[in-house]
């Protein structure tokens, strides 16, 4: 490991007492912690504890079987290749204390080499990074914004809590980073996400008072990642925390305008510096009187409280925030704060408490708007789209007029569904960009925004025929496809390398050259076209693995 920056070491010596600093500095002699988080969209909790759809869920206790070492006697494993590193969760079973779906793995394991990874059954994630999305408290049906989402670990985690309901808007200002974000969401089978690549200011102009939950995993100086990433150490400078704090403050300010009354924001960083942590939160609360900190349950999560004394401010309940320390827990450095916007006052409250009414009227116009309910509970929460009668015809006309989308799919896709799928799509909007077709469970007006994915990418409408996408395959379960091929482990790896396969099947095939959903252990890996006894591989080039 390269030497740690001197300004950082001096900062930590000033912040910690002698015993704390000694334990903290020794933690950098150890290797960083590594973890995976199982995908709730595809893996249930134990019987009776989960609420995932039966066709989308796998009992948690069978997950270890799916990821057993390659070449063992397991009936699910018949490949013994020296080129593929074993990944054995049976020997681990070490839970991450602040994330019920998180598990640690050892440094010499290679989880990305397993078929379970390529099937989207888990996401590889640093253990501490699992905490912010858990604290956010996402529920089914919520509309959630992940402001700084790439590469997508926290967005996938949020999508798991949404369970295919509600809406996830994943944003990252970098179009380059959004590529990984899109692929990770697609691999996980997320069907209710929109991916945009915009500055927070632009989003705030469009989505004022729109979201129930917002995650601001802010860009930071990265002090908590020094043990894990030497490039972060090299990029560190003495004035970097102050520069980051200015950016963090701006992002948090715009996030506040996009939150519904009563909604919650999680602000998180992977740094120790109080300027970027308690300092940013204190400045935010001083300027936003309609927000307050919600106490994080430190004992239940096994993490430490924040330290308001570091910025000489004990009046804002800054000890309600949380820190993950590498010398106290099995994780890298992290800071988390949970903020809540005040509920609007009822008419009765306004009548009996006139002093509060006067106080509210003196607030800035921007935050007066944010404190008012913009939509009634029985309306679709679509920014810049007025809600009409709940009839399908009026909804379809309004969506088409406002967004260019339709409530009915193109003919090519309807014919594909009738011939190759066993499912009905829920009510929503179909958006056609060129030949690419997307589905939005919650219709959105994205005009004027830089959009990486307008929703669930279904495929391409090409000259009277439809070509299904990889995202469609990963968002389905085996039972939803009329034709599916269950491959052995050997053949599944061949498929993932982009090879076509010979295939004998007893299924009654009424279609010419049918689209076949390729599966292993019941989980989709992609599409193939069955032509004269061969499965012609349709896996995108960027998804093929190299062995």
């Amino acid at each position: 490991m390269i030497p740690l920056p001197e300004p950082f070491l001096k900062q930590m010596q000033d912040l910690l007492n002698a015993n704390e600093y000694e334990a903290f500095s020794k933690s950098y002699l150890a290797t960083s912690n590594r973890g995976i988080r199982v995908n709730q969209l595809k893996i249930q909790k134990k019987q009776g504890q989960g609420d995932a759809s039966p066709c989308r869920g796998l009992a948690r206790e069978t997950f270890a079987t799916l990821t057993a070492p390659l070449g063992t006697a397991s009936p699910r494993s018949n490949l013994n290749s020296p080129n593929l590193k074993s990944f054995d969760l049976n020997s681990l079973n070490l839970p991450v204390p602040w994330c019920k779906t998180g598990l640690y793995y050892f440094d010499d394991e290679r989880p990305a080499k397993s078929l379970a990874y390529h099937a989207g059954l888990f996401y590889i994630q640093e253990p501490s990074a699992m905490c912010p999305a858990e604290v956010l408290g996402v529920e089914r049906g919520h509309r959630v914004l992940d402001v700084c989402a790439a590469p997508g670990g926290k967005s996938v985690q949020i999508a798991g809590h949404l369970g295919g309901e509600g809406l996830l808007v994943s944003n990252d200002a970098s179009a380059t980073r959004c590529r990984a974000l899109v692929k990770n969401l697609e691999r996980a089978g997320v069907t209710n996400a929109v991916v945009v690549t915009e500055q927070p200011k632009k989003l705030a102009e469009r989505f004022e008072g729109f979201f129930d939950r917002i995650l601001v995993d802010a860009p930071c100086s990265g002090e908590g990642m020094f043990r894990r990433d030497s490039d972060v150490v090299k990029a560190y400078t003495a004035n970097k925390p102050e520069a980051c704090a200015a950016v963090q403050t701006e992002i948090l300010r715009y996030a506040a305008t996009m939150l519904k009354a009563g909604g919650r924001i999680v602000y998180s960083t992977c740094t120790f510096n109080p300027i970027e942590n308690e300092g940013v939160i204190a400045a935010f609360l001083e300027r936003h009187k309609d927000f307050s900190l919600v106490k994080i349950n430190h004992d239940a999560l096994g993490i430490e409280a924040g330290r308001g004394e570091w910025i000489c401010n004990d009046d804002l309940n800054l000890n309600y925030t949380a820190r993950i320390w590498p010398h106290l827990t099995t994780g890298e450095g992290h800071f988390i704060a949970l903020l809540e916007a005040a509920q609007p006052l009822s008419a009765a409250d306004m009548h009996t408490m006139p002093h509060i009414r006067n106080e509210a009227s003196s607030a800035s116009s921007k935050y007066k708007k944010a404190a008012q309910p913009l939509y009634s509970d029985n309306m679709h929460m679509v920014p810049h789209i007025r809600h009409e009668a709940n009839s399908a015809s009026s909804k379809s006309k309004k969506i088409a007029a406002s967004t260019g989308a339709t409530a009915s799919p193109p003919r090519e896709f309807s014919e594909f569904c009738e011939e190759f799928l066993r499912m009905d799509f829920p009510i929503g909007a179909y958006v056609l960009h060129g030949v690419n077709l997307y589905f939005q469970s919650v219709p959105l007006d994205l005009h004027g925004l830089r959009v990486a994915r307008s929703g669930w990418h279904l495929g391409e409408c090409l000259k009277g025929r439809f070509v299904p996408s990889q995202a469609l395959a990963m968002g389905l379960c085996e039972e939803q496809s009329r034709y599916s091929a269950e491959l052995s482990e050997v053949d599944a790896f061949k498929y993932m390398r982009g090879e076509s396969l010979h295939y004998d099947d007893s299924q009654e095939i009424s279609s010419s050259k049918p689209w076949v959903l390729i599966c292993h252990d019941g989980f989709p890996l992609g599409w193939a076209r069955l032509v004269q006894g061969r499965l012609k591989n349709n896996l995108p080039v960027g998804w093929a693995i190299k062995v």
Side-chain angles (χ1 to χ4, degrees):
M1 179 177 173
I2 66 175
L4 297 175
E6 285 299 327
F8 166 70
L9 293 175
K10 184 178 186 309
Q11 165 196 291
M12 300 312 296
Q13 281 181 313
D14 292 340
L15 292 173
L16 303 174
N17 63 42
N19 291 334
E20 284 180 312
Y21 180 74
E22 181 180 5
F24 175 77
S25 58
K26 283 183 178 179
S27 71
Y28 282 84
L29 301 176
T31 58
S32 61
N33 299 287
R34 301 176 184 276
I36 65 163
R37 185 179 36 73
V38 298
N39 180 5
Q40 289 179 280
L41 292 175
K42 298 191 178 186
I43 298 179
Q44 293 184 48
K45 297 178 184 178
K46 290 184 179 181
Q47 186 72 24
Q49 297 180 359
D51 54 1
S53 168
C55 77
R56 296 295 301 279
L58 169 76
R60 169 80 176 269
E61 59 267 28
T62 68
F63 180 60
T65 305
L66 284 176
T67 52
L70 302 174
T72 65
S74 166
R76 294 180 181 270
S77 181
N78 55 14
L79 177 66
N80 188 7
S81 169
N83 297 319
L84 295 170
K85 183 70 176 178
S86 297
F87 179 49
D88 184 10
L89 276 183
N90 289 301
S91 65
L92 300 184
N93 198 29
L94 302 173
V96 175
W98 45 81
C99 180
K100 294 179 180 178
T101 56
L103 294 167
Y104 294 99
Y105 73 88
F106 297 122
D107 189 49
D108 60 347
E109 299 282 352
R110 293 295 179 267
K113 294 290 186 181
S114 71
L115 284 170
Y117 171 76
H118 294 290
L121 302 191
F122 63 85
Y123 185 91
I124 302 170
Q125 190 172 26
E126 192 279 308
S128 295
M130 302 177 189
C131 193
E134 294 298 306
V135 171
L136 188 57
V138 173
E139 299 176 3
R140 287 174 179 260
H142 274 166
R143 288 162 292 126
V144 186
L145 171 65
D146 188 354
V147 182
C148 310
K154 295 177 179 68
S155 279
V156 170
Q157 190 173 358
I158 289 168
H161 288 300
L162 287 173
E165 301 176 15
L167 171 70
L168 170 62
V169 176
S170 296
N171 174 73
D172 199 278
S174 168
T176 301
R177 290 196 300 266
C178 267
R179 294 181 192 137
L181 170 60
V182 167
K183 186 174 181 179
N184 284 323
L185 288 169
E186 291 181 347
R187 182 189 291 117
V190 179
T191 62
N192 59 334
V194 167
V195 181
V196 292
T197 172
E198 277 294 354
Q199 296 296 328
K201 179 181 179 181
K202 191 73 173 287
L203 294 178
E205 293 170 353
R206 179 62 57 87
F207 293 108
E208 185 175 352
F210 181 71
F211 294 100
D212 299 286
R213 298 286 187 270
I214 297 177
L215 176 63
V216 179
D217 186 44
C220 66
S221 58
E223 296 170 349
M225 300 301 290
F226 283 172
R227 185 167 65 174
R228 185 180 179 87
D229 191 341
S230 60
D231 289 338
V232 179
V233 180
K234 296 174 185 176
Y236 188 85
T237 60
N239 63 349
K240 191 166 186 179
E242 288 84 353
C244 288
V247 175
Q248 294 154 358
T249 298
E250 182 180 31
I251 294 174
L252 194 53
R253 175 167 63 92
Y254 287 124
T257 70
M258 292 185 275
L259 191 69
K260 286 174 57 178
R264 291 186 171 186
I265 295 174
V266 158
Y267 171 83
S268 64
T269 70
C270 55
T271 197
F272 302 109
N273 198 304
I275 294 174
E276 301 177 67
N277 295 327
E278 288 90 349
V280 167
I281 296 300
F284 176 83
L285 292 173
E286 290 289 352
R287 292 181 175 88
H288 300 79
K289 301 299 184 181
D290 53 338
F291 277 81
S292 60
L293 279 167
V294 178
K295 187 174 183 179
I296 295 171
N297 193 334
H298 309 106
D299 293 337
L301 297 176
I303 54 182
E304 300 295 306
R307 302 196 183 184
E309 67 271 17
W310 282 355
I311 62 167
C312 302
N313 192 327
D314 296 321
D315 299 329
L316 297 173
N317 295 323
L318 292 172
N319 61 325
Y320 283 10
T321 64
R323 260 196 181 77
I324 299 177
W325 292 97
H327 63 291
L328 298 177
T329 56
T330 312
E332 306 307 298
H334 235 77
F335 173 84
I336 306 147
L338 178 59
L339 296 156
E340 184 173 73
Q343 292 279 4
L345 293 172
S346 66
D349 291 334
M350 296 295 279
H351 178 72
T352 58
M353 302 174 68
H355 61 287
I356 295 181
R357 180 191 301 147
N358 294 337
E359 197 172 289
S361 65
S362 65
S364 68
S365 59
K366 179 184 299 182
Y367 296 105
K368 281 193 292 183
K369 290 180 181 177
Q372 299 301 318
L374 299 182
Y375 309 93
S376 64
D377 291 340
N378 63 343
M379 290 183 175
H380 281 284
M381 308 303 186
V382 183
H384 304 308
I385 302 177
R386 293 196 309 274
H387 182 80
E388 294 189 350
N390 281 328
S391 67
S393 60
S394 62
K395 184 190 300 181
S396 175
K397 291 176 182 177
K398 197 60 187 179
I399 291 172
S402 302
T403 68
T406 65
S408 300
R411 175 181 54 83
E412 295 91 341
F413 181 65
S414 294
E415 292 176 351
F416 173 87
C417 291
E418 185 176 350
E419 190 171 5
F420 300 117
L421 299 184
R422 291 191 181 104
M423 63 175 293
D424 294 321
F425 273 74
I427 295 174
Y430 294 88
V431 182
L432 194 60
H433 290 306
V435 298
N436 289 289
L437 181 65
Y438 301 88
F439 176 77
Q440 295 178 353
S441 55
V442 177
L444 287 179
D445 179 9
L446 301 174
H447 180 73
L449 299 178
R450 293 183 297 176
V451 181
R453 277 290 186 273
S454 295
W456 185 12
H457 184 215
L458 303 177
E460 298 178 333
C461 298
L462 299 173
K463 296 181 179 179
R465 62 189 176 92
F466 184 78
V467 178
S469 70
Q470 180 71 10
L472 177 61
M474 301 306 288
L476 297 175
C477 61
E478 188 174 22
E479 293 83 355
Q480 290 172 322
S481 178
R482 194 170 299 278
Y483 305 110
S484 62
E486 176 65 32
L487 300 186
S488 68
E489 197 169 43
V490 172
D491 285 341
F493 271 108
K494 288 181 179 178
Y495 173 82
M496 291 305 302
R497 291 196 293 267
E499 299 178 26
S500 294
L501 302 167
H502 177 72
Y503 188 69
D504 291 323
D505 186 48
S506 60
Q507 297 180 77
E508 183 178 342
I509 298 174
S510 59
S511 176
S512 174
K513 300 180 181 179
W515 286 102
V516 179
L517 188 65
I518 302 300
C519 300
H520 175 67
D521 280 306
F523 292 94
L525 296 171
W527 294 105
R529 202 83 188 263
L530 183 58
V531 181
Q532 297 179 346
R534 287 192 66 79
L535 291 169
K536 299 192 69 172
N537 200 309
N538 200 62
L539 190 71
V541 174
W543 288 68
I545 62 175
K546 297 178 180 179
V547 178

